[in-house]
Amino acid sequence: MTHLESQDPLVYQTIAHEVERQNFGLELIASENFVSKSVLQAQGSIFTNKYAEGLPGRRYYGGCEFADTVEELARQRARDLFQCDWVNVQPHSGASANAAVYLSCLKPGDSFLGLDLAHGGHLTHGSPVNFSGIWFNANYYGVDTDGRINMDQVREKAIKVKPKLISIGASSYSRDFDYQAFRSIADEVGSLLWMDMAHPAGLIAAKVLNDPLPYAHIVTTTTHKTLRGPRGGMILIGRDFENPFGKVAPKSGRVRKMSELLDSAVFPGMQGGPLVHVIAAKAVAFNEALQPEFVNYALQVQKNSAIMARSFMDQGYDVVSGGTDNHLVLLDLRNKNITGKDAEIALQSAHITVNKNMIPFEERSPFVTSGIRLGTAALTTRGFKETDIQDVVHLIDRVILAPSDESVRNQVKKDIHALCETYPLYDFVLA
């Protein structure tokens, strides 16, 4: 990056500091991961210059022959990875992929049913501050006091609401989903079923968690998190089908496939030109996820998460739902007499990155919270195994028990630095 260093030293130095932060800190935010050098290089490629509105073979601009090639690579690899009929790899984010689902399936004011944000859901699943809760009639199901979704309650709510769309998926739910039970409910009330697998997508691809594609009509995901690709979104259909809204193709008059509605919702419905450089990076990441080594990675993510939950419980922490099935652990800190906000700040000062998070039946504001959310995907990418995760739990515990003790934080930082040197992340140094 010598050219950047000479042309814009301020941006160069900021990137250098970020390299240092990632190399020598513990990344435990459940929605983050570390991509390979190949993904970095593809995303930083000359494809950033290319406008390519439309789909491969049907572009609105010329000069797209190689953009077509790389997008088709990404599409085919995604279809192979998830064994599905159709995929759109153009969404800029998971939120824009979700927006395309709403645009395809609902009209303003229509009812849908999703997991309550306060119980682990996502902003785009009906939060009143998000477009999904502003434009549509959002209804929610939640978890029981044991931290798990009760499917009988989901069914009761669905029968009462009669939503046009039922969403599954979460941002802080540590358990797997019963997709067959959700589909049965959706069929009973005449609803489409949509799964947002943004968090567990990599574990689903590796078949270490249940697969939603045989049951959900539509599936969306991000491509970072457990898939370990660039930041972006994607929409998939397991088996394509005629849209149930009776929408027809303008010229032929035939009923349009659901995939056609979603393609149109992405472009021109939600966004303009796709980010071809990001699509190239997605293609690289999907190819990496198709390799046998990725299954080993996903299994290790799951093992690390399980040992993290057990280790925290052994230290007297309350783990929401009593454990985890995926990459995520949600801690209830009320018995430790510290808020999620204060824990996040104290841990960050010790070079441990987590995020404050609401717990089910939360009594504090979303800006304070009673919990923190932890994930093992990024540490597993570095090579951390179960014994290392136990060490990490002890480091976190030391800080949380003495959040104002600078000497404790300084010693933890030294221990973290040594641990990170054992598992180097990127071997390039910018400064």
Side-chain angles (χ1 to χ4, degrees), residues 260-274:
E260 296 176 85
L261 295 189
L262 289 163
D263 277 336
S264 296
V266 174
F267 171 80
M270 289 305 306
Q271 60 191 41

Side-chain angles (χ1 to χ4, degrees), residues 300-322:
Q300 191 62 53
V301 167
Q302 199 175 44
K303 291 176 184 176
N304 285 348
S305 188
I307 195 68
M308 176 177 283
R310 284 200 300 271
S311 298
F312 273 117
M313 288 188 285
D314 290 344
Q315 295 294 320
Y317 286 81
D318 288 334
V319 174
V320 175
S321 84

Side-chain angles (χ1 to χ4, degrees), residues 109-318:
D110 281 348
S111 296
F112 74 95
L113 181 63
L115 179 61
D116 192 332
L117 177 65
H119 287 216
H122 189 261
L123 278 171
T124 58
H125 297 179
S127 170
V129 300
N130 182 261
F131 77 91
S132 57
I134 295 171
W135 292 349
F136 307 106
N137 178 23
N139 299 268
Y140 314 104
Y141 57 88
V143 299
D144 279 342
T145 53
D146 64 359
R148 294 172 181 258
I149 294 171
N150 182 320
M151 295 307 300
D152 289 334
Q153 292 182 7
V154 176
R155 180 175 179 270
E156 290 174 8
K157 195 65 179 278
I159 290 173
K160 179 180 180 181
V161 172
K162 292 183 171 53
K164 289 189 176 180
L165 182 69
I166 297 176
S167 73
I168 323 171
S171 64
S172 57
Y173 184 68
S174 62
R175 295 300 182 173
D176 206 350
F177 296 97
D178 186 345
Y179 301 112
Q180 187 172 9
F182 269 106
R183 179 57 184 263
S184 177
I185 293 168
D187 288 345
E188 182 178 359
V189 300
S191 170
L192 285 178
L193 184 63
W194 157 43
M195 169 59 179
D196 179 352
M197 64 174 182
H199 269 272
L203 306 186
I204 290 169
K207 296 181 172 48
V208 302
L209 288 179
N210 293 332
D211 185 358
L213 282 152
Y215 302 101
H217 295 95
I218 304 167
V219 175
T220 58
T221 185
T222 53
T223 49
H224 43 291
K225 301 186 178 79
T226 54
L227 257 184
R228 208 161 53 179
R231 298 188 64 83
M234 180 166 61
I235 313 174
L236 312 94
I237 296 177
R239 296 292 175 266
D240 204 359
F241 59 99
E242 288 186 350
N243 80 86
F245 318 112
K247 294 182 179 180
V248 299
K251 294 182 179 179
S252 67
R254 64 175 176 78
V255 177
R256 300 175 74 189
K257 294 288 189 180
M258 196 68 218
S259 59
E260 296 176 85
L261 295 189
L262 289 163
D263 277 336
S264 296
V266 174
F267 171 80
M270 289 305 306
Q271 60 191 41
L275 307 176
V276 182
H277 57 301
V278 179
I279 290 173
K282 290 175 184 178
V284 173
F286 299 156
N287 188 53
E288 292 173 350
L290 283 163
Q291 306 310 310
E293 294 79 14
F294 190 82
V295 175
N296 297 332
Y297 164 74
L299 287 168
Q300 191 62 53
V301 167
Q302 199 175 44
K303 291 176 184 176
N304 285 348
S305 188
I307 195 68
M308 176 177 283
R310 284 200 300 271
S311 298
F312 273 117
M313 288 188 285
D314 290 344
Q315 295 294 320
Y317 286 81
D318 288 334

